[in-house]
Amino acid sequence: DIYAVDDGLLLVATDRISAFDCVLSPGIPGRGVILTQLSNFWFERFADVPNHLVATERSRFPRPYCDHPELDRRSVLVHRLETIPIECVARGYLSGSGWKEYRESGTVCGIRLPSGLRESDRLPEAIFTPATKATEGHDENISFDRAAGVVGGPTAELLRDLTLRLYREAAAYALERGIIIADTKFEFGRDADGRIVWIDEALTPDSSRFWPADSYEPGHGQPSYDKQYLRDWLEASGWSKQPPAPVLPPEVVEGTLDRYREAYRQLTGRPIEL
């Protein structure tokens, strides 16, 4: 949920969760807290990269928001910026829509990859695979040249280099803590001076594929600490992917929450209280 606050915005991460462009019911209790706190952790870790944060503590929010304890730990005050209209995806492993495209054409977003790769294989090097930010329907994977056509060549090069740098460093850190970051999505904006600023969320279970390193085995899909568990249940349910979505059973709600909590614990080195 987004609230206009003077020249900024208050972002509130709710416990609602979506998949296949549908908001599901019930929500995942504590999801918003985990996503917000994990994003704040990564923004702090990469403090040399300008980000959108103004305040992360409710006591620093303007009235009336500072008077609402339900906003604790799931809300941030951020700068209002001009959003750059592409999603910046980094992939280090072959999975998801990338695996689907590779099977059909041997490419991912137009990037030719070696033949004979299996699902979940580690790529020879991480690749930048941008996507459109669709206002309706699904985002679409696009080539670097198409991205450059949207945002301009110099901006596309800056976004590619920053995306791959953040991914490589975060993936190396996570691997030391038992998590493979197979891929992740970043979003960026511009401030009044034209500077590129990291916005939205950062390396969360909703924007990334997190795999347990100790059970990694290429050749098939991997167990995960992210929303893929939920997507897999929906796929197996026989749902047509048209509204209304099936109601999530308690075990799927709890299983999703357990995975989010474990990802947070491994990455930050501390449990999260909900």
Side-chain angles (χ1 to χ4, degrees):
D1 293 341
I2 303 175
Y3 299 87
V5 181
D6 300 324
D7 59 349
L9 298 171
L10 187 77
L11 306 185
V12 183
T14 72
D15 292 339
R16 299 191 300 269
I17 193 167
S18 65
F20 303 114
D21 299 318
C22 281
V23 176
L24 306 172
S25 180
I28 309 299
R31 167 188 172 274
V33 172
I34 295 171
L35 296 185
T36 300
Q37 295 306 309
L38 188 55
S39 288
N40 291 347
F41 167 81
W42 287 113
F43 283 135
E44 182 178 355
R45 181 166 185 82
F46 293 104
D48 62 309
V49 179
N51 66 62
H52 64 173
L53 293 177
V54 175
T56 59
E57 301 295 330
R58 177 170 60 92
S59 61
R60 295 184 56 202
F61 297 168
R63 281 195 160 81
Y65 305 103
C66 62
D67 298 325
H68 288 270
E70 64 269 26
L71 297 178
D72 276 341
R73 300 193 300 154
R74 65 170 66 243
S75 308
V76 291
L77 185 66
V78 303
H79 295 289
R80 193 185 304 220
L81 303 161
E82 177 189 358
T83 301
I84 296 173
I86 61 169
E87 295 191 336
C88 295
V89 180
R91 301 175 189 267
Y93 294 75
L94 193 55
S95 186
S97 61
W99 167 239
K100 180 180 179 181
E101 180 185 333
Y102 175 79
R103 283 184 298 168
E104 295 171 351
S105 63
T107 64
V108 176
C109 288
I111 299 171
R112 177 67 55 183
L113 296 178
S115 61
L117 294 178
R118 301 163 294 175
E119 183 178 8
S120 305
D121 262 337
R122 184 171 183 173
L123 300 177
E125 61 180 359
I127 58 175
F128 175 64
T129 60
T132 60
K133 288 175 61 66
T135 55
E136 294 183 3
H138 298 286
D139 296 335
E140 177 191 356
N141 293 341
I142 58 177
S143 67
F144 179 83
D145 288 344
R146 265 190 72 187
V150 173
V151 301
T155 295
E157 290 178 4
L158 286 171
L159 294 174
R160 177 195 61 202
D161 294 348
L162 180 55
T163 295
L164 291 175
R165 177 224 148 172
L166 287 169
Y167 171 74
R168 291 188 188 107
E169 293 184 19
Y173 169 89
L175 191 58
E176 293 175 355
R177 285 148 185 83
I179 289 181
I180 291 170
I181 304 179
D183 52 49
T184 195
K185 169 183 72 71
F186 300 116
E187 297 195 41
F188 298 96
R190 286 191 185 276
D191 63 15
D193 296 324
R195 183 178 62 160
I196 290 177
V197 180
W198 190 2
I199 65 172
D200 196 45
E201 60 185 326
L203 295 152
T204 71
D206 270 24
S207 63
S208 316
R209 281 188 175 85
F210 291 157
W211 297 339
D214 60 3
S215 61
Y216 172 63
E217 183 183 67
H220 52 77
Q222 305 298 303
S224 68
Y225 291 133
D226 54 60
K227 203 160 62 171
Q228 192 60 43
Y229 167 77
L230 185 67
R231 295 190 193 99
D232 290 345
W233 182 84
L234 288 167
E235 292 270 19
S237 72
W239 175 45
S240 67
K241 299 181 185 176
Q242 298 296 320
V247 174
L248 301 178
E251 63 270 19
V252 173
V253 172
E254 191 62 31
T256 301
L257 179 59
D258 286 347
R259 285 162 173 78
Y260 278 40
R261 294 181 77 146
E262 182 60 17
Y264 181 91
R265 185 194 67 79
Q266 287 191 230
L267 290 168
T268 68
R270 57 183 182 270
I272 189 164
E273 299 297 327
L274 300 174

